[in-house]
Every structure is written in C-alpha cells, then in structure tokens.
Amino acid sequence: MALRRSDRDLTGLTVLALLTTGPRHTYEMHRMMVGTHKDFVTGLPRSMYHAVERLHRDGLVEAVGTTRGGARPERTVYAITPDGRAALRDRELRLLRTPDRDTTPLVAALSFLGVLQPGEAAAALRDRVKDLAEQHAELARALGEAEGRLPRLLLIENEYEAARIAAERDWVSALADDLDAGGLDAPAGFAGLPVPGSDPEPHGPGAEPRGG
C-alpha cells in the first residue's frame, strides 16, 4: 500500500489535528506551528490558509464565527466537522502503517499521535513493522546473493538502506509496545500541541495576510 496524494497533505493534516482541540482562526494555528517548531509544515503562513480553504471546500472544516482584536483584521474561526474527524483518523492511520522513503509523513503522524486511541495507533504501527520486516528480509537476501560477486564498494548504499529499515522497524515496534502498555497516555482529543496563551501581533516577513 502506497501513500496517496492526499495523505501527503501534511498542512491539511495539521489543520485538522489542531481543530480537535477547539475552534480556531487560521493565524492562531499558524502561530502554534511556529511556536512548537513543527517544521514539516512548509510554506507558512500561506500554505496554512490554502489548506483551510481546501478543507472548507471539501466539508472537512466549517466556519463557526468571526473574531476581531483591536485594530487587527477580522478573522474567521473554523471548527472540524464529523467528516473532518473521520478524514483525520483515516490519514493518521495510513501514515502510521505505510512505510515510505520520505520520513516526513511519519514525523507528522507521530506529532499528532494523540488524535488516535492508543490501541488503534499501536495496531497501525505494527502493520508498519510487518512491512518493514518484509522489506528488510528482501534486501538482506539480495545483499547475501551479491556478496562475493560484487565488491562491497558497490553495495554500500544497500547496506545503509538495510540498516535504516532495521532501525525504523525496531524503534516503531518499541513505540507500539509502549502504546499497548499505556506508556503514552494523553487526554481525549489531545493533538500533541499546547494551546497558546496569547496571539501576538504579526510583523515582519511572516505577517498574516489580511482577512485570515
């Protein structure tokens, strides 16, 4: 099973996860990303606004009001819809269970692990472990067949890939064990991010587009 294009929309995943903690306007979500160093969300702040527009168009988030603070522009407040919650859960599970050469999707999914129940997260991670074990076995078999026929210099990249896959397999397996043992309990609806206590005025090159 390969990741779909929608699975790789990590900004959209982030918006949905943030909205599980309550309605927010887009600029607040942007500030939460900056403040918690979620570097897998690129192209801020505009990527966040575009993601909200897509999710709103698809019925995964809905506008629930507006807010204005001082001389700042009026901001639309969004909430996640039931379809949005279902989409978030589906994306999270697919990202957790599907190995990929690009590790960024897994990093994003781990960042919002708390939107899932521990048991279902652990089950998805064990599916990933199974696929990783199969990949490692196939690569180890190929390396074994090549040994003696080719100089090691030509096989170094394959050795690295085998070591990388084995390391990910072992780490993910240990994380699944921790989840099953209750070692990562979190409050219901927790998205892995703190709720900011303030919304500082934007300034400089990352300032908020008007109307957000």
Side-chain angles (χ1 to χ4, degrees), residues 68-173:
R68 182 192 297 273
R72 301 174 187 176
E74 186 176 75
R75 296 163 174 164
T76 302
V77 176
Y78 295 92
I80 190 170
T81 65
D83 285 346
R85 290 185 182 275
L88 172 61
R89 179 179 177 276
D90 178 63
R91 292 184 191 185
E92 267 286 310
L93 290 172
R94 288 180 66 90
L95 291 177
L96 290 177
R97 68 167 54 105
T98 309
D100 194 86
R101 288 294 298 271
D102 180 4
T103 60
T104 309
L106 176 60
V107 171
L110 292 173
S111 182
F112 303 123
L113 195 64
V115 304
L116 299 174
Q117 294 297 319
E120 61 182 350
L125 289 170
R126 294 197 190 285
D127 287 341
R128 187 185 193 92
V129 168
K130 188 180 302 182
D131 282 351
L132 289 168
E134 292 174 357
Q135 289 181 22
H136 185 267
E138 181 177 346
L139 188 51
R141 183 167 51 252
L143 278 169
E145 293 173 355
E147 287 179 358
R149 295 190 301 105
L150 296 172
R152 186 184 175 200
L153 183 63
L154 299 181
L155 301 173
I156 289 294
E157 73 275 18
N158 295 313
E159 289 185 15
Y160 165 78
E161 184 64 7
R164 184 193 67 79
I165 291 173
E168 181 180 332
R169 176 202 62 201
D170 294 345
W171 188 88
V172 170
S173 180

